[in-house]
Amino acid sequence: MEKLPLVLDLTGTFVFALSGALAGVKRELDLFGVLVLSFAAANSGGITRDLLIGVVPPGAVADWRYLGVSLFAGIVTFYFSSLIVRMSNSVLLFDAAGLALFAVTGASKALAHGLNPLMAIVLGMVTGIGGGMVRDVLLAEIPTVLRAELYAIAALAAAAIVVVGHMLQLPVAPVTAVALISCFSLRVMAMKRGWRLPVAKFGDRYDPSAEKINSKGPKKS
C-alpha cells in the first residue's frame, strides 16, 4: 500500500506520455518534438501539484523514473504509432486513463501533505488536467478541458471519492479502484454520448455605428 501512490503516478505518467506523443505524431512532429510533447503531457500536472504543495524539487524532476517512463512512451509511440492507435482506438482513451490516475494521485498526495479536503479535491483536478492543457497549448489548440465532454468534472469526481474515502477512513485500495473506474467511465461515456456542460452562445454583437446609419434612413439619390 505504501508504494501504491508511486505506482499510480508512474502509470499515469506513462499513459499521458502516450497521449502526448501520439498527438505529436498526428501533427507530424520530429522525434525531438514528440519526446518534448510526451514529457510535457506526462509531467506538467504532477509538477504543478508538487509546486503547489511545496514539494521542491518536484518528483518529475528529482526522480529519473518519470523522465525515463516519458521518453520510453514517446519512443514507442514514435516508432509504433499505428500499433498504439489500433490498441487504443483513440488518443482520448489514453487521455482518460491518465486523467483518472493523476486525479487520484493528486488528491492523495495533497491529503498526505495536510491540505484540507476541499483544496485536496481541487488539487486532484488540477493534477489531472494540467498535462493535457500543456499538450494542447504546445500544439496551438484550445485545451480539451475547456471544450470537451465532462473533462474536469470527471477529475473532480475521482478526487472527491478519494477525499471522502479518506475522511471516512475506508480502505485505500477499494477507494482508489472506485475513483479510477468512476473517472474513466464517466469520461468515456461522456465522449460516446456527447455529455457536456452548457456551452456559451455568442449572439449578434451590438454595433452602434450600424444603428446610427439606420437611424438616418436611406440615402437620397
Side-chain angles (χ1 to χ4, degrees):
M1 288 298 99
E2 292 180 359
K3 294 184 178 180
L4 183 61
L6 177 61
V7 172
L8 292 176
D9 217 18
L10 290 174
T11 305
T13 299
F14 181 75
V15 294
F16 253 141
L18 287 177
S19 73
L22 192 52
V25 169
K26 289 184 175 182
R27 286 298 193 92
E28 299 183 351
L29 303 184
D30 62 14
L31 177 59
F32 179 76
V34 169
L35 294 180
V36 168
L37 205 61
S38 176
F39 180 82
N43 296 285
S44 297
I47 290 173
T48 302
R49 171 200 65 205
D50 289 350
L51 291 176
L52 289 175
I53 62 179
V55 177
V56 180
V61 177
D63 191 336
W64 64 269
R65 287 175 290 189
Y66 290 89
L67 176 62
V69 167
S70 302
L71 295 183
F72 175 73
I75 292 172
V76 169
T77 305
F78 185 83
Y79 289 106
F80 304 100
S81 57
S82 59
L83 176 61
I84 298 297
V85 170
R86 287 198 300 270
M87 288 174 56
S88 66
N89 194 32
S90 172
V91 65
L92 292 178
L93 287 179
F94 284 128
D95 193 73
L99 179 71
L101 289 162
F102 272 7
V104 168
T105 58
S108 300
K109 198 164 186 178
L111 290 171
H113 282 77
L115 268 69
N116 65 71
L118 178 59
M119 293 312 299
I121 293 173
V122 173
L123 195 58
M125 179 197 68
V126 170
T127 307
I129 68 177
M133 290 186 69
V134 172
R135 176 199 64 210
D136 294 342
V137 168
L138 289 175
L139 291 173
E141 296 179 353
I142 298 175
T144 303
V145 66
L146 302 181
R147 57 182 170 83
E149 301 86 352
L150 302 185
Y151 194 82
I153 298 299
L156 279 173
I161 291 172
V162 171
V163 171
V164 171
H166 175 80
M167 294 173 64
L168 297 177
Q169 298 182 347
L170 299 177
V172 174
V175 170
T176 300
V178 171
L180 292 173
I181 294 171
S182 299
C183 180
F184 183 79
S185 301
L186 179 59
R187 179 76 184 107
V188 172
M189 290 299 293
M191 288 189 291
K192 288 185 176 181
R193 301 196 176 187
W195 296 342
R196 62 188 307 161
L197 296 175
V199 177
K201 302 296 183 181
F202 185 75
D204 296 332
R205 278 194 287 185
Y206 172 68
D207 189 348
S209 61
E211 182 178 340
K212 188 180 294 185
I213 293 174
N214 292 334
S215 65
K216 292 179 180 180
K219 292 183 179 180
K220 294 182 180 180
S221 56

